[in-house]
Amino acid sequence: MPLPALRLICLAVSLTVTTHAFAAIDGVVRRTHPRLYATPAELTALNKYFSGGRLPAKRGEISFTVTTHLRAEGDSQDGVVFGGYNNPVSAILIRHIDSLDITTGTPKVRLQVAFTVPGEASYAAYGELSLSPGEPTKVTLSYDTEQHTASLVTDKAGAVSKQIAYNAALFARWLPGETTPKFDFAYVRRNDVVSGLQVKDLVANQVLWSHERIDSQLNAARGSLLWAADKTSGSIATCMTASEPATLCNVAQNGRGDTLGTAKQLALAYQISNRSVAYAKAARAYAELIMGVTDLAAGREWAMAARVGALGVLYDWFYNDPEFDAELKRKIRATIRDTIRTDVPEVGGKQDDDLIEMICGTPKLAPSTSLLDCASKPDLSRSYLGGHQFSAMTGAALGLLAILDESVNEGHDVTPLIIRIYDHMIEGMIPARNYASGEGGHHMLYAYGANVAEVIERLVMWRRAIVPSSGTTVAPTTFESKVIRPYIYALHADNTFPAAGDAFELVLPEPTLGYMALAAATQGDGVATTFYEKHVQSARPWASAQLLWDRLYFPATRQPAAELSTLPLSARYRVAGNVYMRDSWDREKSTLLEFKSTSFISENHQHLDQNSFTIYKRAPLLVDSGLYNEYDSTHWKNYYRRTIAHNSIVVFDPNEQFLYDSKPMSNDGGQWIKRRVGDAGQERYPTIAEIQPGARNALDGVTHYEEDKEGGYAFVTGNASKAYSTKLDQNDGFLRSILYLRPTSTSPKTTVLVFDRIHAPGRLAATSLLHTVKKPQSHATQHADSIAGGGRVVLAPTPTNLPLLVRNGDGMVTIEPLLPENARITLAGGTDGAPCDQEPADVNYTDCRFTARVATGGGSFAWRNFPAIPGSETHPVTTDAGNWRIEIAAVDEGRSAPDAYQWFLNVLHVEDNRLEADPTENTAKLLPSSDGSAAAVALESGGTVVFAKRSAAAASLRWKAGCGFRGTVIATGLVSGQTYRWQCDTGTQEIVLAATGTQAAGTASGEGVLKFTVR
């Protein structure tokens, strides 16, 4: 895919000109401060939600419509409708009196209307309202300070329970108008609605100020942020003196979450608190703390970018405050430039991990003290897909954009490096995400896929910092409005997501999920609006400060909410290879199947998990196993990211080597990034061009997908052949087809059929894997050759295979392994203390959950457990970690397969956990095929599902159902668009589906699926 050669060109770089034009986007860098993340206009718009105004001095009128409710859990005591407590000036307070509410019989909500004088415990005037809960009531309060009168009126009869009464002496001292009183809009009851608020000067006949609607939740969020900022300010003050300083004090090592996050918190608190001096002083102290780090490379790029970014935000948002005097700003500018220039020497030829390496790569910096630029055009094309460098670049951009004008004016032109960073974004970072996630989905879902939202936040920053010319958009994308959809489909009943990819804990309150949802909701996606409001926002505390950032970044009107049920029950994201299948949008009851077959292979946080799937119903049933304890850990390299940890296929070849950084890893028999002899092969970190169809890192991915028009089923086929070495045929080595049958009135279970076609020319035996949280139950006896301990239980084979039952929480799945017949089934894992060898050998672990083969010399192999020793990742997902692995093979371990082609067929019945369930035989029956063309299954419901056994589209299929068969047939693997007929071969008692026949069947869909009824 050719990339646009976009380039930012600075047209005005003189020492005295401070308008910086960027030709490629036809715009200029904003001259005003702040300009990072928000502009004065956006902050003014946000502050309007919090501000009241002065009251008229002589004759005034306050009118509004209020819908009140009885106090609920979490509501403030005696919540405020208008005004505020402890006002320093003459004011009006309208508040709830909780003790006077009537909660029985005919409920009533009582409001007190009071005129307050500063320093006085008694009211100058006082009245009461008695309102019906949930009923809008218009209230009008008027006063005359010259006549010393006031009046309370509503549009509901009897709503004024006590007309205004006066304390004449105090009311004579009630003198509003000179100063704006305090307003506590945050302390209304949560469900109260105050709208149409107007404060009118009756002398001038003029509305002084108004609010269309009081947003009490946003005001409460403001209160939370200011409380947190107060706490942060106190911690900063003790950073140098406390015996155990707060985490935020460790600016030498902290990343952007702590250091940059602290700066942003102080900055926003300052801007929404009428520029509080306290926050300005705290910001100055924090800037000085950051500049006190003498080793500018401390923490390498992770901490360097955080420090530079934090200084940029502080410089920008506090630019006009007296605390940020000329000398302090000069020091900040110098520290930003010097930190970016700091070059950490390379050791052993490895990347040196400093900021300039992240931006310029190996060319490093141009040899100039007055110009900050790379020595030559950098090539970071292998970094764009992963995007780690983008974090470092953003930190640098925050600093450079903040100081641009003054830095140029003092003889240090930072413009060229801003251009380089913008080039990387336009030429690489955005195109990579447009390709992988342009229709939604992500190859590293879910935790690291959510980092796309960080990209969205960075785009907000750039779009606020640059003023585009009319009709243009800064950094346009196609992915922003799409990436939330997989999270909508994948959300579990317990508000978690599948533990796919490198899975640290991802919870609904996360800002990233809100940003993705809002990016879509403000671009026309009503379902995203619903997801944000009913799921993301409701999972947060009502007064969550995050709401402020949400509103600041996404002020545009959201699309009206649309029900999730308006979405199809399945979805496919082609390039990323994510497929979702549900049987309803009732998350508490529905069965979620998540399938993955990405169209390319890479490293970073993408796992070797092509053609894998998971199932969730009320709890995780079939899972990705392992724990994300630390990137690059022994557990991560040998088990967690490997195919053996996923519900996929492994093909053990004792002659195969899996090398990582030239060091041998476990031989799990799975997928790998191939480095072929005499060929550059696949790249661990491919360019965008290298993941295009037909390129070196391309895989076939999802080749077929269909959602039944009548809603009865969903179907997918993935081709993962190229994800394996040549031990599998590279075109049809591993094709997996999944048919998801939704419950019906006669068949209340969700039934999933998983059919695998394996083509191993060397007859290496394949093994189908299923991972579970709880130990599978089976009536099969333990084989006499079962290894004692070691975490491996070999079940005695039976001709038709016995079912396995897996329970977890309130869900269960019955696994009926139909192919291969007479299968060798092993249960591997357990945490019962059975002895098994550990890797590394000196760890004291007794569980056997994460085993894979390792070479022991002389061509021998042994199983080793790779425990998830706690590492740098402090919040790994544990509920989906998996404890047991079901291994299904055609032959005993170490033997060759009977043929180059092997087939696996598992029928999975998913339902609520029934304690009485104890299956002793399969309910699904495998039907013979005389010519071997079909793998056909007769289901308990009476229907039949047929899979073509060859990878090529089948012109005809036949299976033994009996000529008396009547029922529904779903056939897959057919020729797209071909018309089929059926008839029964009386000699073999087989149904024959072909182009010719006595009865019409119908036309195969574009995905090669045909559903028809035999009558």
Side-chain angles (χ1 to χ4, degrees):
M1 183 177 71
L3 300 176
L6 297 179
R7 174 169 296 280
L8 287 166
I9 301 175
C10 181
L11 300 182
V13 200
S14 73
L15 298 183
T16 57
V17 177
T18 56
T19 299
H20 298 271
F22 294 86
I25 56 168
D26 194 19
V28 297
V29 174
R30 195 176 299 277
R31 297 184 64 180
T32 55
H33 293 280
R35 57 190 177 217
L36 304 175
Y37 297 112
T39 68
E42 278 110 21
L43 289 168
T44 297
L46 184 65
N47 273 310
K48 284 182 178 178
Y49 288 101
F50 314 132
S51 59
R54 66 178 181 86
L55 299 177
K58 294 183 179 180
R59 287 193 296 131
E61 179 183 273
I62 297 102
S63 62
F64 55 88
T65 297
V66 60
T67 305
T68 61
H69 296 81
L70 294 171
R71 188 182 181 193
E73 183 179 356
D75 284 339
S76 301
Q77 181 178 357
D78 296 336
V80 175
V81 173
F82 181 89
Y85 289 106
N86 303 317
N87 246 304
V89 297
S90 293
I92 292 173
L93 172 65
I94 303 176
R95 64 163 183 160
H96 286 274
I97 302 293
D98 298 344
S99 61
L100 298 182
D101 282 353
I102 299 173
T103 59
T104 59
T106 303
K108 291 291 182 180
V109 176
R110 305 297 288 272
L111 297 181
Q112 182 186 72
V113 181
F115 291 73
T116 64
V117 175
E120 295 292 340
S122 299
Y123 294 139
Y126 169 85
E128 285 184 6
L129 297 169
S130 181
L131 308 180
S132 299
E135 185 175 311
T137 302
K138 184 173 182 180
V139 178
T140 303
L141 174 66
S142 57
Y143 63 83
D144 187 326
T145 60
E146 293 177 332
Q147 299 297 319
H148 305 300
T149 59
S151 174
L152 184 60
V153 178
T154 74
D155 65 347
K156 298 290 189 297
V160 179
S161 56
K162 184 180 291 187
Q163 190 50 261
I164 301 295
Y166 311 101
N167 179 322
L170 285 180
F171 201 49
R173 292 167 48 201
W174 189 79
L175 300 171
E178 292 186 5
T179 306
T180 299
K182 181 175 70 172
F183 290 89
D184 292 331
F185 292 136
Y187 299 106
V188 71
R189 290 181 181 174
R190 295 183 184 188
N191 293 319
D192 284 1
V193 177
V194 179
S195 60
L197 173 63
Q198 283 192 348
V199 176
K200 188 175 183 180
D201 187 330
L202 296 178
V203 174
N205 194 29
Q206 176 184 4
V207 175
L208 298 184
W209 57 277
S210 64
H211 277 292
E212 183 179 340
R213 179 180 174 131
I214 299 297
D215 193 327
S216 55
Q217 186 176 15
L218 192 65
N219 277 269
R222 175 180 179 266
S224 295
L225 180 78
L226 298 183
W227 177 87
D230 289 343
K231 188 175 180 180
T232 294
S233 299
S235 297
I236 292 171
T238 63
C239 279
M240 303 303 293
T241 59
S243 57
E244 294 185 10
T247 300
L248 63 84
C249 299
N250 187 17
V251 292
Q253 300 297 325
N254 283 343
R256 60 184 181 274
D258 292 310
T259 305
L260 178 56
T262 297
K264 289 172 64 180
Q265 181 196 78
L266 290 173
L268 186 55
Y270 172 77
Q271 293 289 346
I272 64 172
S273 64
N274 226 0
R275 296 179 175 85
S276 165
V277 172
Y279 299 137
K281 289 183 179 296
R284 179 184 182 113
Y286 202 56
E288 290 175 338
L289 181 70
I290 293 171
M291 291 188 292
V293 176
T294 55
D295 178 6
L296 296 181
R300 297 305 186 260
E301 55 86 14
W302 180 250
M304 294 167 75
R307 292 195 297 272
V308 169
L311 287 175
V313 168
L314 296 174
Y315 185 97
D316 183 48
W317 285 54
F318 293 89
Y319 184 84
N320 294 311
D321 192 274
E323 286 293 330
F324 278 65
D325 54 47
E327 178 57 18
L328 179 67
K329 287 188 282 195
R330 184 198 64 78
K331 289 172 62 178
I332 291 176
R333 293 194 297 270
T335 301
I336 288 173
R337 292 192 301 263
D338 291 346
T339 302
I340 293 173
R341 285 184 178 277
T342 300
D343 186 6
V344 179
E346 292 185 359
V347 178
K350 290 189 176 182
Q351 179 176 292
D352 52 21
D353 225 22
D354 52 45
L355 279 182
I356 207 63
E357 176 87 13
M358 295 287 119
I359 301 168
C360 296
T362 53
K364 300 299 179 66
L365 282 175
S368 170
T369 58
S370 61
L371 194 72
L372 192 58
D373 192 11
C374 302
S376 60
K377 180 175 174 61
D379 180 7
L380 297 183
S381 57
R382 297 202 178 282
S383 305
Y384 294 149
L385 186 62
H388 178 76
Q389 279 81 348
F390 201 12
S391 300
M393 292 181 198
T394 301
L398 286 168
L400 296 175
L401 285 167
I403 68 171
L404 173 62
D405 303 323
E406 295 80 13
S407 194
V408 170
N409 289 339
E410 64 187 1
H412 296 281
D413 189 3
V414 300
T415 309
L417 206 60
I418 295 176
I419 292 172
R420 298 294 187 193
I421 295 171
Y422 191 86
D423 277 350
H424 285 309
M425 182 171 69
I426 294 298
E427 295 181 3
M429 301 297 181
I430 289 176
R433 280 141 194 81
N434 282 344
Y435 179 69
S437 302
E439 56 183 16
H442 198 278
H443 56 294
M444 296 187 289
L445 286 176
Y446 291 85
Y448 278 97
N451 285 350
V452 173
E454 289 189 337
V455 177
I456 293 174
E457 184 183 23
R458 293 162 192 164
L459 292 172
V460 170
M461 184 276 289
W462 280 99
R463 290 166 183 165
R464 299 285 168 81
I466 294 173
V467 183
S469 297
S470 176
T472 65
T473 301
V474 176
T477 75
T478 59
F479 68 84
E480 286 175 85
S481 63
K482 308 290 180 56
V483 289
I484 191 59
R485 280 296 176 89
Y487 293 87
I488 294 175
Y489 274 97
L491 182 64
H492 288 163
D494 60 357
N495 286 341
T496 64
F497 297 92
D502 284 352
F504 56 80
E505 187 178 50
L506 177 67
V507 294
L508 270 177
E510 285 287 332
T512 51
L513 291 168
Y515 295 158
M516 287 190 288
L518 286 168
T522 53
Q523 296 185 52
D525 187 344
V527 172
T529 300
T530 299
F531 187 74
Y532 174 76
E533 294 175 352
K534 292 188 176 181
H535 294 279
V536 177
Q537 199 170 11
S538 65
R540 298 171 178 166
W542 186 74
S544 169
Q546 180 56 41
L547 182 60
L548 295 164
W549 293 105
D550 290 355
R551 196 70 62 86
L552 186 64
Y553 290 164
F554 302 97
T557 302
R558 299 173 205 154
Q559 183 76 4
E563 291 299 320
L564 270 61
S565 59
T566 60
L567 294 176
L569 286 172
S570 70
R572 171 191 60 178
Y573 302 98
R574 182 183 54 83
V575 175
N578 311 118
V579 177
Y580 302 94
M581 300 175 180
R582 308 186 70 95
D583 50 22
S584 79
W585 283 105
D586 182 344
R587 298 190 193 281
E588 293 297 324
K589 300 177 181 178
S590 66
T591 297
L592 169 67
L593 183 145
E594 175 221 20
F595 176 76
K596 181 167 181 275
S597 192
T598 307
S599 66
F600 59 86
I601 193 167
S602 68
E603 193 170 291
N604 201 242
H605 301 290
Q606 181 180 4
H607 282 197
L608 298 161
D609 58 353
Q610 309 312 322
N611 274 8
S612 68
F613 70 98
T614 64
I615 290 180
Y616 179 100
K617 183 180 178 67
R618 299 190 183 271
L621 296 176
L622 299 179
V623 302
D624 280 358
S625 75
L627 286 163
Y628 185 39
N629 63 331
E630 186 172 14
Y631 187 83
D632 235 15
S633 69
T634 299
H635 173 74
W636 183 88
K637 289 184 288 190
N638 289 278
Y639 184 82
Y640 179 58
R641 70 181 291 258
R642 305 286 293 280
T643 312
I644 199 168
H646 301 83
N647 299 318
S648 190
I649 291 286
V650 292
V651 181
F652 176 66
D653 178 359
N655 297 315
E656 188 172 17
Q657 262 200 322
F658 295 84
L659 300 177
Y660 187 85
D661 287 339
S662 302
K663 297 178 181 178
M665 298 292 114
S666 65
N667 186 341
D668 75 325
Q671 302 161 17
W672 199 247
I673 297 176
K674 302 186 288 290
R675 305 289 293 184
R676 295 183 288 268
V677 177
D679 183 346
Q682 295 169 335
E683 293 287 347
R684 290 169 61 181
Y685 296 94
T687 66
I688 303 172
E690 289 168 347
I691 63 173
Q692 303 297 309
R696 63 172 58 178
N697 276 59
L699 305 177
D700 293 300
V702 176
T703 58
H704 298 80
Y705 161 77
E706 181 169 297
E707 167 66 30
D708 179 26
K709 293 179 181 179
E710 298 175 351
Y713 67 83
F715 172 75
V716 67
T717 295
N719 185 345
S721 304
K722 293 180 177 66
Y724 294 79
S725 69
T726 53
K727 64 188 177 187
L728 293 186
D729 184 275
Q730 295 296 284
N731 294 312
D732 71 343
F734 175 24
L735 280 72
R736 167 166 282 179
S737 295
I738 296 179
L739 185 68
Y740 180 107
L741 299 175
R742 299 189 177 99
T744 65
S745 57
T746 58
S747 180
K749 304 173 187 176
T750 298
T751 297
V752 178
L753 296 93
V754 183
F755 179 65
D756 298 326
R757 308 169 185 86
I758 309 299
H759 182 193
R763 292 176 52 199
L764 293 168
T767 302
S768 174
L769 307 177
L770 296 171
H771 292 267
T772 68
V773 175
K774 299 294 179 66
K775 186 176 181 178
Q777 301 170 221
S778 174
H779 283 276
T781 58
Q782 184 173 325
H783 197 280
D785 295 334
S786 185
I787 300 173
R792 297 184 63 76
V793 178
V794 180
L795 303 182
T798 58
T800 57
N801 303 329
L802 295 180
L804 298 103
L805 177 62
V806 176
R807 306 177 191 269
N808 191 22
D810 292 330
M812 75 177 196
V813 56
T814 303
I815 302 164
E816 299 181 353
L818 302 188
L819 286 177
E821 296 178 281
N822 196 31
R824 273 51 175 174
I825 300 177
T826 300
L827 308 181
T831 57
D832 56 0
C836 58
D837 293 335
Q838 305 290 320
E839 184 78 25
D842 59 347
V843 299
N844 185 23
Y845 278 74
T846 56
D847 73 72
C848 304
R849 294 176 293 168
F850 311 127
T851 56
R853 289 185 182 91
V854 297
T856 56
S860 298
F861 288 82
W863 291 97
R864 294 280 190 273
N865 188 63
F866 294 90
I869 301 170
S872 61
E873 178 50 58
T874 56
H875 294 94
V877 176
T878 57
T879 55
D880 288 23
N883 295 312
W884 288 91
R885 180 173 72 233
I886 303 171
E887 301 174 356
I888 304 172
V891 295
D892 291 325
E893 190 173 318
R895 296 190 177 183
S896 297
D899 192 85
Y901 287 93
Q902 302 164 61
W903 295 274
F904 295 84
L905 178 55
N906 292 317
V907 179
L908 315 173
H909 302 292
V910 189
E911 57 185 313
D912 290 343
N913 193 356
R914 294 184 292 108
L915 296 180
E916 73 277 10
D918 185 25
T920 57
E921 62 180 19
N922 297 329
T923 59
K925 304 299 180 184
L926 188 67
L927 303 177
S929 172
S930 63
D931 64 354
S933 63
V937 180
L939 298 175
E940 186 179 25
S941 63
T944 299
V945 173
V946 185
F947 295 96
K949 291 185 73 173
R950 299 298 176 185
S951 58
S956 65
L957 296 172
R958 59 191 303 142
W959 63 94
K960 188 172 183 178
C963 290
F965 169 78
R966 298 294 182 268
T968 299
V969 176
I970 301 177
T972 71
L974 303 177
V975 178
S976 170
Q978 178 173 306
T979 298
Y980 286 84
R981 301 181 69 83
W982 71 271
Q983 64 184 39
C984 186
D985 183 332
T986 56
T988 63
Q989 291 292 298
E990 289 180 306
I991 300 293
V992 180
L993 185 65
T996 58
T998 59
Q999 304 292 326
T1003 301
S1005 70
E1007 305 298 329
V1009 181
L1010 176 60
K1011 180 180 179 180
F1012 64 99
T1013 301
V1014 175
R1015 293 185 172 87

